[in-house]
Amino acid sequence: MTRGLRRAAAPLVAILVFLVLWEAAVWANGWPDYKMASPSDLVPAYAKYWDLFVIMGWQTLWRTVLGLLLAVMVGVALGMVMGFSRMMRDALYPLLVGFNAIPKATVVPIVALIFVGAHDFNTVLIAFMISFFPIAVSVSIGLSTLEPEYRDILRSLGASQSKIFWKIALPKTLPEFFGALKVSVTLAFIGTNLMEIVSPHGRGLGALFDSGKTNSDYPLMFAVLIALAVLGILLYYVVVALERIFAGWAERAPT
């Protein structure tokens, strides 16, 4: 088996083992579907509501991606400001840490009340708010730890600050950036679904989950959770693919 095939098969085997163990645990404990739905209980839910999963899944996905893109833009900009300026780093870090320490579940109702009826905006905003912090911190750390010798050599050769950034600072920061982006992907989905569940005009998979809870349709609720996991995995591997394109040089083969 080739290395590429092994890498592709490994996560699929792990997921299959997880589903088998899940099914076995439900069967062994005799849990009814209103206590713990099994994987076999989810198939009828997907078959019955497949059109809603497609529509709601797309709504959740595009809002999450948009919020994540905003998080990337703002996070990179803040990270650059803090990375190149010690004064700005000392000034902004306490604010960012304090903001990130606030549970976003408490912020969601406030945002929903402030922007009543603007569900798409609310959802994208929460996805952005919950996911930009790791990106800003990673970029800041990557730039602030840049070896001064490199900067001194390039400056002595007449390189401008922008050239130093593009030639040295940016490549050095990419591994940290993509590591933070992998974390932000899952955080953005959390933010999106918090708003979809809480908002009275909620749409997306979060609203579908809330509908299942209201109607005591537990297989539907578990099916939504698995659908969210699948979307998160897909978006994660998109980031992995981008990382291999732009920062593949930083990957070290296991010894």
Side-chain angles (χ1 to χ4, degrees), residues 151 204 255:
R151 273 188 264 197
T255 56

Side-chain angles (χ1 to χ4, degrees), residues 1-249:
M1 184 181 293
T2 65
R3 182 184 174 189
L5 187 58
R6 286 199 304 269
R7 293 182 66 174
L12 296 177
V13 171
I15 291 172
L16 181 60
V17 170
F18 168 75
L19 293 176
V20 170
L21 292 176
W22 179 6
E23 186 77 31
V26 174
W27 177 81
N29 289 280
W31 286 326
D33 61 6
Y34 59 81
K35 187 172 185 179
M36 173 63 77
S38 66
S40 59
D41 293 325
L42 308 186
V43 176
Y46 287 126
K48 182 177 181 181
Y49 301 108
W50 69 269
D51 53 338
L52 288 178
F53 273 100
V54 172
I55 296 171
M56 300 292 194
W58 167 246
Q59 291 175 341
T60 294
L61 182 61
W62 79 258
R63 295 190 193 102
T64 302
V65 170
L66 183 55
L68 189 61
L69 290 175
L70 291 174
V72 168
M73 290 188 288
V74 174
V76 169
L78 278 175
M80 290 175 62
V81 169
M82 293 187 295
F84 284 126
S85 171
R86 178 62 182 269
M87 183 181 69
M88 294 303 296
R89 186 160 63 250
D90 292 341
L92 293 177
Y93 249 114
L95 292 174
L96 292 178
V97 171
F99 174 79
N100 195 59
I102 299 174
K104 297 306 178 287
T106 62
V107 177
V108 168
I110 297 174
V111 173
L113 287 174
I114 293 175
F115 304 104
V116 176
H119 177 67
D120 290 340
F121 176 79
N122 292 344
T123 308
V124 172
L125 178 61
I126 291 297
F128 156 74
M129 290 172 64
I130 204 173
S131 60
F132 84 94
F133 180 77
I135 297 172
V137 171
S138 68
V139 173
S140 172
I141 292 174
L143 294 178
S144 62
T145 56
L146 179 65
E147 291 81 355
E149 295 83 3
Y150 292 150
R151 273 188 264 197
D152 293 340
I153 292 173
L154 288 174
R155 281 172 181 165
S156 67
L157 295 174
S160 63
Q161 186 72 14
S162 62
K163 182 158 286 190
I164 293 174
F165 172 76
W166 287 107
K167 296 294 184 181
I168 299 295
L170 180 61
K172 182 185 181 299
T173 307
L174 284 177
E176 290 89 350
F177 167 74
F178 280 108
L181 188 56
K182 292 173 185 176
V183 176
S184 295
V185 164
T186 58
L187 294 177
F189 270 106
I190 292 172
T192 300
N193 285 275
L194 281 174
M195 180 57 73
E196 289 175 348
I197 292 173
V198 170
S199 176
H201 305 289
R203 297 186 297 276
L205 290 176
L208 190 58
F209 177 89
D210 194 51
S211 175
K213 181 182 69 174
T214 302
N215 296 294
S216 299
D217 191 341
Y218 294 92
L220 174 60
M221 294 168 62
F222 279 92
V224 170
L225 296 179
I226 296 302
L228 287 170
V230 170
L231 288 179
I233 291 171
L234 291 176
L235 198 53
Y236 171 86
Y237 277 107
V238 169
V239 174
V240 169
L242 292 173
E243 181 182 28
R244 288 176 181 168
I245 293 172
F246 295 105
W249 51 267

